Amino acid sequence: MTEHGKIDLLIEARWVVPVEPHAVVLEHHAVAVTAGRIVDVLPIAAARARYAARETCRLDEHVLMPGLINAHTHNPMTLMRGIADDLPLMAWLTEHIWPAEARAMSAEFVRDGVELAIAEMLRGGTTCCNENYFFPDVQAGTYKRHGFRALVGLPIMEFPSAWARTRDEYFDKALQVHDEYRGDPLVGTSFAPHAPYTVSNESFERVRMLSDQLDIPVHIHVHETAQEIEDSRREHGVRPMTRLQGLGIVNDHLIAVHMTQLDEAEIRLCAEAGVSVVHCPESNLKLASGFCPTEELRRAGVNIALGTDGCASNNDLDMFGEMRTAALLAKGVARDASAYDAAFALRTATLNAAKTLGWGERIGSIEPGKSADLTAVRLDALETQPVFNVISQLVYACGRHQVSDVWIAGVPKLVAGILVDMDVPALRARAREWGERLRSQG
Amino acid sequence: MTEHGKIDLLIEARWVVPVEPHAVVLEHHAVAVTAGRIVDVLPIAAARARYAARETCRLDEHVLMPGLINAHTHNPMTLMRGIADDLPLMAWLTEHIWPAEARAMSAEFVRDGVELAIAEMLRGGTTCCNENYFFPDVQAGTYKRHGFRALVGLPIMEFPSAWARTRDEYFDKALQVHDEYRGDPLVGTSFAPHAPYTVSNESFERVRMLSDQLDIPVHIHVHETAQEIEDSRREHGVRPMTRLQGLGIVNDHLIAVHMTQLDEAEIRLCAEAGVSVVHCPESNLKLASGFCPTEELRRAGVNIALGTDGCASNNDLDMFGEMRTAALLAKGVARDASAYDAAFALRTATLNAAKTLGWGERIGSIEPGKSADLTAVRLDALETQPVFNVISQLVYACGRHQVSDVWIAGVPKLVAGILVDMDVPALRARAREWGERLRSQG
């Protein structure tokens, strides 16, 4: 708060769901924002008395909540949405996705895919993503240009791509991108060694050393399928998590994505080491990869975040849909209707995801001092009537099209359902062009 | 077609997905409608040459498909959306749902709930439902008044309710409602003995005899949970399906809802007897009831349809979401990414559902002679770009808010997203009143 209570923005909402404290719904509350940060959360009447806001936004039928955080995605693949569905994993990868990627992969593809994804994410209430793809320099530049918050993975793998040819080149380019965005308020970097089966021990050791020195997360696909476990046993004599542990990778920098195959000792290890697990239920179902034991992980105290994965295996970036799928699926898998309750689902898509990215102090909840990354959702649609429980309604009944307003660091990005600074017809036209190009080469 | 090619309506669409033939997408096709029926499906240019339409509807960015059919729902419970979530089944039923129903149950509750549900269904592209609740007379009257197609279940159970006090009264009132709607073009009836554990052998025998005589379906919750199987073994010495078989209920009139517990012999029995299974994946997940073995049923040749169940265990009537959940979940459960593919998902929500209701000759596909129950979906949203495969897009990426136009028997019910003859603010206000009433009594 500045002197005399002058602030930039006062958002008055029918309901505020701050996420922290947990499972709380504040009625008729306001959020005061100045210089991109939340400065206060208080009843509307008190807010009007205390603050002189340069701008006031009234949300009479809305829930105001933290912007959603997609904790695992490959956003350039938005341009491949639906290119190959209903196929077994290996046929999907080797006959469709990899050949299409090999043809399309370029800075231009990555830029256009990320732009389409940003529009989709904003329209769906997502304000931050944990990105994992080639050309992290182009991704980072695109997120920054659009004022979108992202942790950009710096890819590391043992085979050549359009991004880098050798191991050394992957590392050199990774460090260049990291250096360029050091201290950036919106865009950060992580190491993203693709998976245990595509990255050597030597590379993991370099990742471990550098992630310690630079204090950035390590974002890996791990224990995604039973096949991966078997292959690791055959090649390395141990399960992937055991191998990673031996390489020093299993620590509180680790963002372990998928984790559908876990024994009790591994769950305990994750809890003790402070690993964050990113659950991607729709992708795991669509590719028949297995079920992440979210209830056991939660009980063990492991930080669980939620991600959509890329649009080729989902096929959207809809975090409302993902919360719902996660909450429903966990109940079926755990045989317990109280598993992954609505408030927990919302937490995995906000504060837990922020912690996963190393940004738990910066975003993920509506608390004074945090960045004003906010999402407003209209609850007056017939499809969300009547309202008995606001958080249930968000998770079990709401569609992402009910998102009306989105701010990132206090900057409005979506106003009454309209993207502030993106050209929708141009985005649509470019997506269609990519569709034609990918189809004609198919 | 009338003489000289005069027809009521020509709908020209970017894509037509007729469902029959299976998995086909017709580009730039038109559907000719007259007197409420489909008379032709042909390329737009040919349609313009052949027909003089009183009205033409151009859908340049849309898929035209059969109206969706929700094969199991309790629509008055839409007023209880989100009243109690994340609870174990018995606590949910005995501490929340049944007490709330006991307080609210009335003709007025049923009428208002059905009206809210009709609005939600139309906005989501659903044109027909298989209803199962108290006061079927009120339901039937409400559906008919709104021009909505429904098969209304005639409840049979052994305990008294606000609808009927004794077994004889349940049967008497059932037959009265059946008689009133005999031959109605929109509203039909089925017997709806609640479940094996709430209905006696004697009642099942009467249902069997009457359903044979009247040639109407029998709609039952069956094999919903493992507990139900155990209880039946203890009480009757056999599993519920075996008991129902002994009572003559297992035949091609049977609409068996849920079926999460099935052995191989039971799957074979369903195939041989011509039973239709209604899969309610979101409800089964939310209540942790178990997983319906859809892939085994499909391979055995059993007719599978899709339903949302009531809004207290879902919490919506969104058949797009349900198709998506069914398609994703089946892959995880069968450990096969090719299970419940997109075209099959659409079929379970249209033609298979029509067959389930005994209306396979009347609705469920876009074929000459069938009723013009049609749904148009915009695919130009950024969230459904690019379009590689139209059916994949409908199932895996589309949201129900992309539904633009809906016709039932050729009558427009939703036009460019607007309900033609329903008062949305009044519906919202009434839902809120019920919310207050149910909450204050809670």
Side-chain angles (χ1 to χ4, degrees):
Chain A
M1 178 174 33
T2 58
E3 57 182 83
H4 309 304
K6 281 186 184 155
I7 57 168
D8 292 341
L9 172 65
L10 189 69
I11 309 173
E12 303 179 354
R14 173 70 183 83
W15 300 281
V16 174
V17 175
V19 173
E20 186 61 48
H22 186 60
V24 161
V25 178
L26 305 168
E27 300 213 27
H28 302 294
H29 266 59
V31 175
V33 174
T34 220
R37 290 185 182 279
I38 297 160
V39 292
D40 211 343
V41 183
L42 71 176
I44 290 174
R48 289 181 184 171
R50 189 176 305 172
Y51 297 106
R54 199 168 49 75
E55 195 188 338
T56 296
C57 176
R58 285 186 53 180
L59 303 170
D60 291 340
E61 300 281 359
H62 308 58
V63 188
L64 188 68
M65 63 182 205
L68 296 166
I69 302 172
N70 188 342
H72 178 67
T73 181
H74 311 282
N75 277 337
M77 297 181 86
T78 307
L79 292 170
M80 293 186 187
R81 188 198 313 277
I83 200 169
D85 295 317
D86 301 316
L87 293 167
L89 178 62
M90 288 319 293
W92 177 75
L93 267 179
T94 61
E95 293 166 29
H96 297 272
I97 300 303
W98 287 346
E101 280 187 332
R103 292 189 307 266
M105 189 61 62
S106 63
E108 187 197 6
F109 175 79
V110 169
R111 182 201 63 203
D112 290 352
V114 167
E115 284 193 338
L116 179 61
I118 289 172
E120 178 174 352
M121 290 188 290
L122 288 172
R123 282 158 55 102
T126 296
T127 55
C128 176
C129 68
N130 190 24
E131 176 67 270
N132 188 315
Y133 208 64
F134 301 100
F135 292 95
D137 56 340
V138 176
Q139 296 168 37
T142 308
Y143 287 118
K144 192 170 169 60
R145 192 166 66 253
H146 286 283
F148 195 92
R149 195 180 303 279
L151 190 70
V152 170
L154 306 168
I156 303 291
M157 48 179 54
E158 306 301 332
F159 51 85
S161 68
W163 165 243
R165 282 154 301 180
T166 64
R167 180 189 299 164
D168 283 344
E169 198 181 358
Y170 277 105
F171 276 96
D172 289 348
K173 291 182 116 176
L175 291 175
Q176 280 167 27
V177 177
H178 171 75
D179 201 60
E180 192 176 344
Y181 290 89
R182 213 155 25 110
D184 190 278
L186 280 176
V187 175
T189 51
S190 71
F191 281 103
H194 171 261
Y197 55 90
T198 47
V199 177
S200 67
N201 286 358
E202 191 182 337
S203 291
F204 273 125
E205 279 162 1
R206 280 172 77 173
V207 164
R208 202 269 311 145
M209 183 189 68
L210 288 166
S211 76
D212 278 356
Q213 288 176 355
L214 305 175
D215 193 24
I216 63 174
V218 178
H219 180 177
I220 317 181
H221 302 88
V222 54
H223 285 213
E224 182 169 2
T225 64
Q227 187 67 45
E228 176 189 337
I229 310 285
E230 272 179 52
D231 291 349
S232 176
R233 275 185 183 289
R234 205 172 42 242
E235 195 176 340
H236 302 282
V238 291
R239 291 161 66 93
M241 280 296 283
T242 307
R243 177 171 156 239
L244 293 180
Q245 191 183 8
L247 293 163
I249 289 284
V250 180
N251 56 45
D252 62 2
H253 277 142
L254 179 58
I255 303 174
V257 181
H258 297 312
M259 300 286 261
T260 72
Q261 318 290 321
L262 288 174
D263 61 28
E264 272 182 45
E266 288 162 344
I267 291 171
R268 220 166 32 241
L269 171 64
C270 287
E272 285 162 8
V275 171
S276 285
V277 169
V278 180
H279 179 38
C280 300
E282 296 190 359
S283 173
N284 294 158
L285 288 171
K286 190 148 184 284
L287 300 174
S289 303
F291 303 111
C292 176
T294 52
E295 189 59 6
E296 288 87 338
L297 286 163
R298 187 189 65 76
R299 286 205 192 121
V302 176
N303 184 54
I304 304 172
L306 196 60
T308 60
D309 210 344
C311 269
S313 65
N314 185 303
N315 299 347
D316 60 40
L317 304 172
D318 178 0
M319 289 294 291
F320 282 91
E322 206 74 30
M323 284 196 286
R324 187 178 158 84
T325 302
L328 293 176
L329 182 63
K331 294 167 178 39
V333 169
R335 301 194 170 275
D336 176 356
S338 68
Y340 221 115
D341 63 74
F344 181 70
L346 184 60
R347 198 172 186 87
T348 62
T350 53
L351 189 54
N352 283 11
K355 289 176 181 168
T356 298
L357 276 56
W359 290 346
E361 302 303 311
R362 197 187 294 187
I363 54 172
S365 57
I366 302 184
E367 294 180 274
K370 283 202 169 176
S371 182
D373 291 19
L374 300 166
T375 286
V377 184
R378 294 194 74 108
L379 281 196
D380 58 346
L382 291 180
E383 290 77 6
T384 41
Q385 293 300 322
V387 179
F388 291 103
N389 178 319
V390 167
I391 299 176
S392 269
Q393 217 68 344
L394 289 173
V395 171
Y396 293 120
C398 208
R400 59 173 162 174
H401 59 285
Q402 291 174 245
V403 169
S404 64
D405 297 79
V406 171
W407 294 262
I408 298 178
V411 179
K413 307 301 294 178
L414 187 81
V415 174
I418 307 296
L419 288 165
V420 170
D421 50 14
M422 299 193 85
D423 180 346
V424 172
L427 286 170
R428 188 188 292 116
R430 230 176 313 136
R432 285 179 173 170
E433 278 168 33
W434 277 107
E436 292 305 322
R437 279 168 72 172
L438 287 161
R439 205 189 336 262
S440 67
Q441 293 167 344
Chain B
M1 178 175 33
T2 59
E3 59 182 81
H4 309 305
K6 281 187 184 154
I7 56 169
D8 291 341
L9 172 65
L10 189 69
I11 308 172
E12 304 179 353
R14 174 69 182 84
W15 300 281
V16 174
V17 175
V19 172
E20 185 62 48
H22 186 60
V24 160
V25 178
L26 304 168
E27 300 213 27
H28 303 293
H29 266 59
V31 175
V33 174
T34 218
R37 289 184 182 280
I38 297 160
V39 291
D40 210 344
V41 183
L42 69 176
I44 290 175
R48 289 180 184 173
R50 191 176 305 173
Y51 296 107
R54 199 170 48 75
E55 194 189 338
T56 296
C57 176
R58 283 186 55 180
L59 304 170
D60 292 339
E61 300 280 0
H62 308 59
V63 188
L64 187 68
M65 63 182 207
L68 296 165
I69 301 171
N70 188 342
H72 179 66
T73 181
H74 311 284
N75 277 337
M77 296 181 87
T78 307
L79 292 170
M80 294 186 186
R81 188 199 312 277
I83 200 169
D85 295 317
D86 302 316
L87 293 167
L89 178 62
M90 288 320 292
W92 177 76
L93 266 179
T94 60
E95 293 167 29
H96 298 273
I97 300 303
W98 288 345
E101 281 187 333
R103 293 189 306 264
M105 189 62 62
S106 63
E108 187 198 7
F109 175 80
V110 168
R111 181 202 65 201
D112 290 351
V114 167
E115 284 193 339
L116 179 61
I118 290 172
E120 178 174 352
M121 290 189 291
L122 288 172
R123 283 159 53 102
T126 297
T127 56
C128 176
C129 67
N130 190 25
E131 176 67 89
N132 188 315
Y133 208 65
F134 301 100
F135 293 94
D137 56 341
V138 177
Q139 295 167 39
T142 308
Y143 287 117
K144 192 170 169 62
R145 192 167 67 253
H146 286 284
F148 195 93
R149 195 179 303 279
L151 190 70
V152 170
L154 306 168
I156 303 292
M157 50 179 56
E158 307 301 332
F159 52 85
S161 67
W163 165 242
R165 281 154 303 181
T166 65
R167 180 190 298 164
D168 283 344
E169 199 183 355
Y170 277 105
F171 276 97
D172 290 347
K173 291 183 115 174
L175 291 174
Q176 281 168 26
V177 177
H178 171 76
D179 201 59
E180 193 178 340
Y181 290 90
R182 211 155 26 108
D184 191 276
L186 280 177
V187 175
T189 51
S190 71
F191 281 104
H194 172 260
Y197 55 92
T198 47
V199 177
S200 67
N201 286 356
E202 191 181 338
S203 291
F204 273 125
E205 278 162 0
R206 280 171 78 173
V207 164
R208 203 269 313 144
M209 183 190 68
L210 288 166
S211 77
D212 278 357
Q213 289 176 356
L214 305 175
D215 193 23
I216 63 174
V218 179
H219 180 178
I220 317 180
H221 303 88
V222 54
H223 285 212
E224 182 170 1
T225 63
Q227 187 67 45
E228 175 189 338
I229 311 285
E230 271 179 52
D231 291 349
S232 176
R233 275 185 182 288
R234 204 173 42 240
E235 195 177 340
H236 302 282
V238 292
R239 291 161 66 93
M241 281 295 285
T242 306
R243 176 171 158 238
L244 293 180
Q245 190 183 10
L247 294 163
I249 290 283
V250 179
N251 57 44
D252 62 2
H253 276 143
L254 180 57
I255 302 174
V257 181
H258 296 312
M259 299 287 261
T260 71
Q261 317 290 321
L262 289 173
D263 62 27
E264 272 181 45
E266 288 162 345
I267 291 171
R268 218 165 34 241
L269 171 64
C270 287
E272 284 161 9
V275 171
S276 285
V277 169
V278 180
H279 179 38
C280 300
E282 295 189 0
S283 173
N284 295 159
L285 288 171
K286 189 148 183 286
L287 299 174
S289 304
F291 303 110
C292 176
T294 52
E295 189 58 8
E296 288 87 338
L297 287 163
R298 187 189 66 75
R299 286 207 191 119
V302 176
N303 185 52
I304 304 172
L306 196 60
T308 60
D309 209 345
C311 269
S313 65
N314 186 302
N315 297 346
D316 60 41
L317 304 172
D318 178 1
M319 289 294 289
F320 281 91
E322 206 73 29
M323 285 196 286
R324 185 179 160 83
T325 301
L328 293 177
L329 182 63
K331 294 166 178 39
V333 169
R335 302 194 169 274
D336 176 357
S338 67
Y340 220 116
D341 63 73
F344 181 70
L346 183 61
R347 197 173 187 87
T348 62
T350 53
L351 189 54
N352 283 12
K355 289 176 181 167
T356 298
L357 275 56
W359 290 345
E361 303 302 311
R362 197 189 293 188
I363 54 171
S365 57
I366 301 183
E367 294 180 273
K370 284 203 169 174
S371 181
D373 292 18
L374 301 166
T375 287
V377 184
R378 293 194 74 107
L379 280 197
D380 58 345
L382 291 181
E383 290 77 8
T384 41
Q385 294 299 324
V387 179
F388 291 104
N389 178 317
V390 167
I391 299 175
S392 268
Q393 216 69 341
L394 289 173
V395 172
Y396 294 119
C398 209
R400 59 173 162 173
H401 60 284
Q402 292 174 243
V403 169
S404 64
D405 295 79
V406 170
W407 294 262
I408 298 177
V411 178
K413 307 302 294 177
L414 187 81
V415 174
I418 307 297
L419 288 164
V420 169
D421 50 14
M422 299 193 85
D423 181 344
V424 172
L427 287 170
R428 188 187 293 117
R430 232 177 312 136
R432 284 178 174 171
E433 278 168 34
W434 277 107
E436 291 305 322
R437 279 169 72 172
L438 288 162
R439 206 190 333 263
S440 67
Q441 294 167 343

